[in-house]
Amino acid sequence: MKKYSGFTFLIGLAAAVVTFIPVKKAIAAVPLNQVQQVKATWPAATFQIRTPGYPAFKTADMGHLFAGQKNCIVRVAPELNGLTGVKMPAGFYEKGEDQPLKLKFKEPVKLLLGFFQDKAKTFRQPGSGAQLVLDSALTVTGLPSVKVYAVAYPAGTHTINPAGSGLFTVLGVVKANQPLTFRNAGLPDGRGWEPFIVEGFYDNKPLFDIVGGPDKPVVEEGMPGTEGIQGGFEGGAMVKIKGTYHMFPTERAGEKEVEAYYDRVKTRIGHWTSPDAINWTRQSTIYQASGTYALTEDDNPMNDRRGAIWSYMPIFNEEANRWYGYYLAYTVHKEIEPNHSFGRIWRAESTIPGIDGIGGPYTDKGIIMEPGLDSQPWEGRQGVASFFPYKVGEEWLGFYSGAYPFKTWADYPKKTGKGWFIGLAKADKMEGPWTRLDSTVNPVTSMHPWFIENPIVSKLPNGLYIAVFDGGPDGWGHHLPNMMGYSLSKDGYTWSEARYLPIETKVKKWWDIMRTPLGLIPEGNNVYTIVYAAIDLKRRYHPMGMVQVKLNPAVLDMKKQELEKTAILTGAQNQAKK
C-alpha cells in the first residue's frame, strides 16, 4: 500500500544500513506533463545532421539528450516542445572523443543551444553573438537548469562546437525570421530527479513496443460492480485462465460521506472477470478489511492488525492443486506517518481444488512474514508491505517490500526516513517457512536506489525472469518516473536497472499519477496485456486502465547475452577477491 508525502529524503544505502540524504530545498511545483498539451510555439526549420553517430531526438517529455546516458527531459518550455534536437554521443564533452557536430541548413536559421548552469562545475558557455532567449527552459534529470541561446547561421554546412569543455545540447532549429523574445520559463533544476531510462527513448532498441489500448479507463466509477467503492482501485494481480481474465484489485471502498482518507483504510479485495481485459464483471469480495484504527503507536496486539487489506497475489500451487493467495494486512494509525504500519503477509488457500478454483472462497492459513527479530531496518515502520513468490529451480524466492525505513532500530517506532524498498526471501516450498536473505542481497537496489513497489514476476520465452512494478510518482513532493517499470534477471537474484514504459505515447493520457501494473499477461505473437491502476488528481476515484505491449525477440536475446556476460564478470571479480 502506498502513501507519498512531503519534500523529505532521498535514500542511499550501505549494506543493510539506510543512510539519510537530505534533498536540496523544495522544488517548485510545475503541472505534470505540461509538455504534452502544447506544440512548440517556435516553428521548426529543416536541417540535416552531417556527422555519423549523432541521431535526432524530440525536445519533449522523456527525450534523452545524450546517447548512452540516462539524463532525460521531464519538463520543457512550450516554445521548445516538439522541436527536433540532436542527441550528442556519450563522451562528447570530453575533448577528442568524437568528431564535432556538423549540421546542414537549406536556409538561414537560428540554432537553439542549451547550456547548463552550475557555478561548481564547468559547462560549455555560449560565444559572442549568441542571443539569450530562455532561462530555466528545461528540467533534465540529474542536471542543472538550462539557458537557451539562439545562434544565427546562414545556409550551408556548419560545425557546431562551442568553445570550452563540458556538456551542452542542441535543442532545435527555427527560421531566421522567427522573432524570439526572452522569457524565464521558471522550470525547476533537474538535480532533484535521479536519471532514469525510458524505453525507446534511451536507445532505438526497446525490449517492448507500446501497441496501444483504450484511451479511457476500463473500470470506472458508475460502472456495474463499482457500487460501494468510494475511492476506486489500487494494486493487486491479474491472471488469465482458459481465455478469461481474473483480476484481484484492492478496492478503496471507504464509506459515503466519510473523508477520502478512509478509502485507504476500509479496503477490500474484489474478484473481477473479463473476456478481453476491457469489459469487466465483478464476481465477489475475497476479503474485507475491518477499517478499525489502532489504539497504540507501536506494533501492539491490542491493535486491530487487519485495519486495511491490500495487494492480493494469486499463485497456483501445482503440488497442492489449489490456488494460494498472498495478501497484506496493516495496522492503521490516525496520526502517525505512515498511517499504514507493521504490515503482515497472510497466505490463503482456495477451498475448491484445481485451476477453476481461482474465484475462491479462500481459507486463511496463517501469516508467512511479519515484523520481528529477523526484520531489517530498511523495512521500516510500514513493515512487510507486499509479497510475490516465484519459483527458481527447485526453490522459491519472494519479493517483499518495506517503506519509511529506520536508520537504526533505536528509531523505532516513529522516527522514519523516506524510501520504498524491496528485498528477497527464500523458501523450499510455497507454504514456507520464508527466510529473509541477508544484507549482501537486501535491499535490492539495482533496479532503482530508493523506489520500487509491488513487483510481480513472470518468465519470458527465453527463460529470463521479468518483474513489472510501480515506478513511483512525479508528484506529491517526489520526483520519480511516473511510469510503470520492468527489470530482468537471469537467476532470480540479480536484477537489471529499471526501464520505464511510456504508454502515453500510444494511449491518451487520462491520468496524472501512474500507479501499479497488475502483471504481464502473454497473449501470443509476443503481445502482452497489462492492466494498471492510475490516478486523476482532480478526482477522488482512482480507475483502472489497460495497455498492450509487444516484445522484440531479438532484443530479448541480446538482453540475455548481456546478463550472462555480467554474471561471468561478477563471478570473476568475486573469485579474485577471495
Side-chain angles (χ1 to χ4, degrees):
M1 205 288 296
K2 303 161 189 180
K3 183 176 185 298
Y4 312 112
S5 61
F7 296 90
T8 47
F9 294 93
L10 295 181
I11 305 299
L13 290 160
V17 178
V18 179
T19 303
F20 291 68
I21 306 174
V23 169
K24 304 170 184 71
K25 80 176 179 180
I27 296 172
V30 176
L32 298 178
N33 296 293
Q34 62 177 9
V35 298
Q36 297 189 350
Q37 311 192 7
V38 291
K39 293 183 179 179
T41 54
W42 293 344
T46 59
F47 67 95
Q48 294 180 341
I49 301 172
R50 306 295 288 175
T51 308
Y54 287 76
F57 77 96
K58 286 297 181 185
T59 305
D61 194 19
M62 299 180 287
H64 285 249
L65 283 69
F66 306 104
Q69 294 185 352
K70 297 182 289 182
N71 313 92
C72 67
I73 299 170
V74 290
R75 305 283 193 277
V76 59
E79 291 91 335
L80 304 174
N81 186 34
L83 291 177
T84 299
V86 179
K87 184 181 288 190
M88 301 294 190
F92 173 83
Y93 47 91
E94 296 180 13
K95 290 184 177 180
E97 282 198 8
D98 295 288
Q99 301 178 60
L101 172 64
K102 290 186 178 181
L103 300 179
K104 182 178 181 180
F105 309 119
K106 294 182 179 180
E107 59 179 317
V109 299
K110 292 177 182 176
L111 179 65
L112 302 177
L113 301 178
F115 296 91
F116 298 91
Q117 308 300 305
D118 185 1
K119 294 180 180 178
K121 186 175 181 180
T122 300
F123 290 102
R124 296 201 187 205
Q125 296 299 314
S128 60
Q131 175 192 0
L132 177 61
V133 294
L134 282 173
D135 196 356
S136 300
L138 292 172
T139 300
V140 181
T141 58
L143 290 173
S145 61
V146 180
K147 288 185 177 181
V148 176
Y149 288 79
V151 181
Y153 284 95
T157 300
H158 301 274
T159 298
I160 313 302
N161 193 19
S165 62
L167 290 171
F168 78 100
T169 182
V170 177
L171 299 172
V173 180
V174 298
K175 294 180 180 293
N177 61 359
Q178 171 66 42
L180 304 177
T181 302
F182 171 77
R183 184 175 76 91
N184 187 330
L187 298 181
D189 188 300
R191 287 170 290 192
W193 283 257
E194 294 201 29
F196 55 85
I197 296 172
V198 182
E199 186 86 336
F201 288 78
Y202 175 76
D203 55 33
N204 59 358
K205 296 179 179 179
L207 179 61
F208 290 103
D209 291 313
I210 311 301
V211 176
D215 289 337
K216 60 183 180 180
V218 295
V219 186
E220 175 62 287
E221 185 175 18
M223 290 182 176
T226 63
E227 300 84 1
I229 303 174
Q230 313 308 309
F233 303 89
E234 226 305 89
M238 181 176 74
V239 297
K240 188 178 182 182
I241 303 168
K242 300 178 182 178
T244 298
Y245 298 87
H246 295 260
M247 178 172 68
F248 296 85
T250 301
E251 298 175 349
R252 304 170 70 252
E255 289 183 4
K256 290 184 178 180
E257 300 179 359
V258 176
E259 62 178 325
Y261 178 79
Y262 198 58
D263 301 346
R264 304 169 55 249
V265 182
K266 189 76 170 179
T267 57
R268 66 192 189 200
I269 305 300
H271 173 214
W272 296 68
T273 60
S274 172
D276 54 13
I278 296 174
N279 299 286
W280 289 92
T281 301
R282 192 178 191 279
Q283 300 294 340
S284 65
T285 297
I286 302 296
Y287 282 103
Q288 171 74 61
S290 70
T292 303
Y293 288 102
L295 300 174
T296 70
E297 297 177 345
D298 61 345
D299 188 13
N300 192 311
M302 290 176 59
N303 298 324
D304 188 327
R305 290 174 168 172
R306 297 173 66 91
I309 289 177
W310 295 78
S311 302
Y312 190 86
M313 303 291 171
I315 311 290
F316 189 68
N317 186 330
E318 294 183 358
E319 293 182 4
N321 193 34
R322 292 182 189 274
W323 285 92
Y324 284 11
Y326 299 85
Y327 68 94
L328 164 65
Y330 277 125
T331 299
V332 185
H333 197 282
K334 274 189 174 181
E335 299 172 356
I336 299 173
E337 186 180 34
N339 305 87
H340 292 68
S341 304
F342 312 123
R344 288 172 160 79
I345 303 299
W346 286 75
R347 185 180 71 83
E349 288 185 12
S350 60
T351 59
I352 300 173
I355 200 77
D356 294 326
I358 179 70
Y362 286 81
T363 302
D364 280 331
K365 295 299 180 179
I367 296 169
I368 64 160
M369 289 192 77
E370 63 182 327
L373 295 177
D374 57 346
S375 295
Q376 298 168 3
W378 60 266
E379 297 174 31
R381 182 178 171 92
Q382 203 151 65
V384 189
S386 71
F387 185 81
F388 190 89
Y390 56 98
K391 197 169 187 181
V392 177
E394 296 302 315
E395 64 184 9
W396 285 84
L397 293 177
F399 270 130
Y400 72 102
S401 66
Y404 292 79
F406 300 118
K407 188 175 182 180
T408 70
W409 287 119
D411 294 330
Y412 172 89
K414 293 193 295 182
K415 188 179 178 182
T416 60
K418 300 293 182 182
W420 289 259
F421 301 101
I422 57 170
L424 283 169
K426 185 177 180 179
D428 292 331
K429 53 185 180 180
M430 290 180 67
E431 297 85 353
W434 287 88
T435 303
R436 293 163 166 86
L437 299 187
D438 63 28
S439 61
T440 63
V441 175
N442 288 344
V444 178
T445 56
S446 55
M447 302 182 194
H448 188 277
W450 64 278
F451 193 101
I452 298 290
E453 278 208 325
N454 290 334
I456 294 179
V457 179
S458 55
K459 266 194 160 184
L460 295 173
N462 69 349
L464 289 184
Y465 296 91
I466 183 169
V468 294
F469 49 83
D470 174 1
D474 186 0
W476 301 325
H478 300 285
H479 303 295
L480 291 159
N482 206 36
M483 289 175 273
M484 63 183 77
Y486 76 85
S487 174
L488 302 174
S489 176
K490 183 176 180 296
D491 59 7
Y493 286 87
T494 304
W495 290 85
S496 67
E497 182 173 7
R499 292 185 176 232
Y500 298 91
L501 299 175
I503 68 172
E504 56 263 51
T505 59
K506 293 291 180 67
V507 177
K508 184 179 179 181
K509 193 168 183 288
W510 52 264
W511 63 90
D512 295 304
I513 301 291
M514 173 57 65
R515 296 302 303 268
T516 309
L518 274 67
L520 191 67
I521 306 298
E523 306 290 7
N525 196 31
N526 295 314
V527 172
Y528 293 79
T529 296
I530 303 172
V531 169
Y532 58 92
I535 297 174
D536 177 349
L537 290 172
K538 298 183 293 296
R539 305 172 54 202
R540 174 175 177 172
Y541 200 91
H542 300 174
M544 302 288 287
M546 178 271 215
V547 66
Q548 289 191 321
V549 298
K550 188 164 186 177
L551 180 73
N552 185 328
V555 176
L556 179 62
D557 289 340
M558 181 180 69
K559 296 291 185 186
K560 185 174 184 179
Q561 293 173 13
E562 291 174 355
L563 291 173
E564 289 172 345
K565 288 179 181 177
T566 300
I568 292 171
L569 178 61
T570 301
Q573 290 172 340
N574 292 339
Q575 189 65 33
K577 290 178 182 178
K578 295 179 181 179

